[in-house]
Amino acid sequence: MTPALSSIRLSVLDRSRTREGHPTPEALQNTVRLAQHTERLGYHRFWVAEHHGVPGVAGSAPTVLAAAIAAATHTIRVGTGGVMLPNHRPLVVAEQFGVLESLFPGRIDMGLGRSVGFTDGVRKALGRDKDDAEDFAGQLEELLGWFRGTSPTGVRARPAEGLAVPPFVLAMGEGADIAARAGLPMVIGDLRDRDRMRRGIDRYRAGFRPSAWAEEPYVVVSGTVAVADTPEQARRILLPEAWAMAYSRTHGTFPPLAPAEEVERRTMTARERDFYESGLTGQVYGTEEQVAHELESVVKETGAQEILVTTSTYDREALLDSYRRLARIAGLG
């Protein structure tokens, strides 16, 4: 453990990735088990994501999944990374988090994003279009207003009103400015593009306005981290997700994860190979010593207070072992 790592929080975001040859519900069950595993290891929080109509992702209802995780754990904070606010009415989101906070007081986080659907078909099914993301700042203000009881409609959000559920903004680009103006903690990724990440963090800190939710800027950097006995073993953890991303960029659909050995055998077109190699470049992986050094550099470069790890892979045992090793690096437990 290094001094820089001992001063930060370490958390997990799991996207409930499906796997070839395994039923979709198993991905959700694995997410709950992973939350229990990371709680035992001493991680600070465990978040789940929102995706609709994506073959490779089972996590479509993050507040429902968060409830299952909170019920299956005891101390770890539980939340969303995030609820995509443009997909929903802010009142309904406030009510859902009000219920979660009422059932699991002091353990719920409200991570919020501005993405709208993965494809035109999904957006149509949700009754949304790309332009809905443009009013994210207004939607965010309305949502927080339901907790304060300031809605001009005269309606009261039950049981959300009066509760303090910590909000976080998932930010790239404009999201950093929105988080700063609202005075909210910011989650920013990914670790492969450090320059862009640092620019977003600098902009956020420069424009931050203290609020009832946060007196000072709070930065969470998010990305993939893989730890194993050797650099080669750690890199193999990343192969299934790198291939899935390459496939999605070239075929328009996000597939279930394939075993690393199968990915290694696949013949790729030049375009697929470019996206595949790009997906591996800049990721944080290696032995415990190598990853500790790399994460220490990330913390020093960004001044982040927290790292949110988003690793997905086919091999569940390798994933659990990676989180064990990462916890040891950070001195958790």
Side-chain angles (χ1 to χ4, degrees):
M1 180 177 63
T2 67
L5 294 182
S6 67
S7 65
I8 66 159
R9 290 167 168 167
L10 198 59
S11 299
V12 177
L13 166 63
D14 191 66
R15 290 180 295 132
S16 303
R17 293 287 277 111
T18 62
R19 298 184 293 162
E20 287 186 2
H22 293 261
T24 296
E26 184 181 288
L28 298 172
Q29 296 158 8
N30 282 337
T31 292
V32 176
R33 284 192 281 266
L34 180 60
Q36 294 171 322
H37 178 74
T38 54
E39 178 180 62
R40 289 191 294 269
L41 292 172
Y43 284 79
H44 181 63
R45 65 180 102 242
F46 190 97
W47 283 4
V48 293
E50 175 183 337
H51 295 274
H52 300 283
V54 181
V57 183
S60 57
T63 54
V64 177
L65 184 53
I69 291 167
T73 55
H74 305 282
T75 57
I76 196 168
R77 296 194 64 85
V78 178
T80 56
V83 164
M84 296 301 139
L85 196 50
N87 289 340
H88 311 281
R89 294 302 308 164
L91 170 61
V92 175
V93 175
E95 290 172 338
Q96 291 173 347
F97 280 97
V99 170
L100 284 169
E101 177 63 21
S102 298
L103 292 172
F104 310 101
R107 292 181 57 205
I108 301 300
D109 299 323
M110 185 168 58
L112 306 162
R114 64 191 295 266
S115 297
V116 188
F118 185 62
T119 64
D120 289 338
V122 170
R123 288 189 288 272
K124 183 177 180 181
L126 291 170
R128 298 290 187 267
D129 58 45
K130 290 182 179 179
D131 293 340
D132 286 307
E134 300 307 313
D135 190 36
F136 178 66
Q139 296 157 358
L140 182 62
E141 183 179 4
E142 180 184 343
L143 171 61
L144 299 181
W146 288 115
F147 289 91
R148 297 191 299 262
T150 58
S151 172
T153 64
V155 176
R156 315 296 282 271
R158 308 292 189 195
E161 187 175 318
L163 296 180
V165 183
F168 295 74
V169 173
L170 277 62
M172 280 302 273
E174 185 184 350
D177 299 323
I178 293 171
R181 289 194 299 269
L184 300 180
M186 179 185 72
V187 182
I188 189 166
D190 62 51
L191 294 174
R192 290 177 301 169
D193 193 341
R194 306 284 176 84
D195 289 339
R196 184 184 181 194
M197 187 172 64
R198 281 194 299 269
R199 289 195 300 271
I201 292 171
D202 290 344
R203 193 165 63 249
Y204 165 70
R205 290 197 175 111
F208 185 85
R209 301 174 184 173
S211 71
W213 302 99
E215 294 182 359
E216 299 177 343
Y218 188 90
V219 174
V220 183
V221 295
S222 176
T224 297
V225 182
V227 196
D229 265 338
T230 68
E232 294 74 24
Q233 289 173 340
R235 186 177 184 274
R236 293 189 87 245
I237 292 173
L238 306 180
L239 301 186
E241 185 74 10
W243 165 246
M245 290 298 295
Y247 189 90
S248 72
R249 297 291 296 275
T250 53
H251 294 76
T253 184
F254 203 62
L257 296 176
E261 56 270 23
E262 184 178 323
V263 172
E264 290 173 318
R265 289 195 300 265
R266 285 183 174 165
T267 301
M268 302 182 195
T269 66
R271 190 160 178 260
E272 288 171 340
R273 176 65 63 178
D274 284 346
F275 283 124
Y276 176 70
E277 295 295 343
S278 175
L280 294 169
T281 302
Q283 301 283 25
V284 177
Y285 68 90
T287 63
E288 292 179 35
E289 183 179 358
Q290 290 170 324
V291 170
H293 175 75
E294 189 68 26
L295 291 182
E296 184 175 22
S297 296
V298 169
V299 173
K300 288 179 177 178
E301 289 174 16
T302 63
Q305 286 96 334
E306 187 169 343
I307 295 175
L308 182 69
V309 183
T310 63
T311 310
S312 298
T313 195
Y314 184 92
D315 186 338
R316 299 300 298 182
E317 283 306 313
L319 182 67
L320 297 178
D321 183 60
S322 179
Y323 277 117
R324 276 192 293 268
R325 293 172 182 272
L326 185 55
R328 190 157 58 223
I329 290 170
L332 302 184

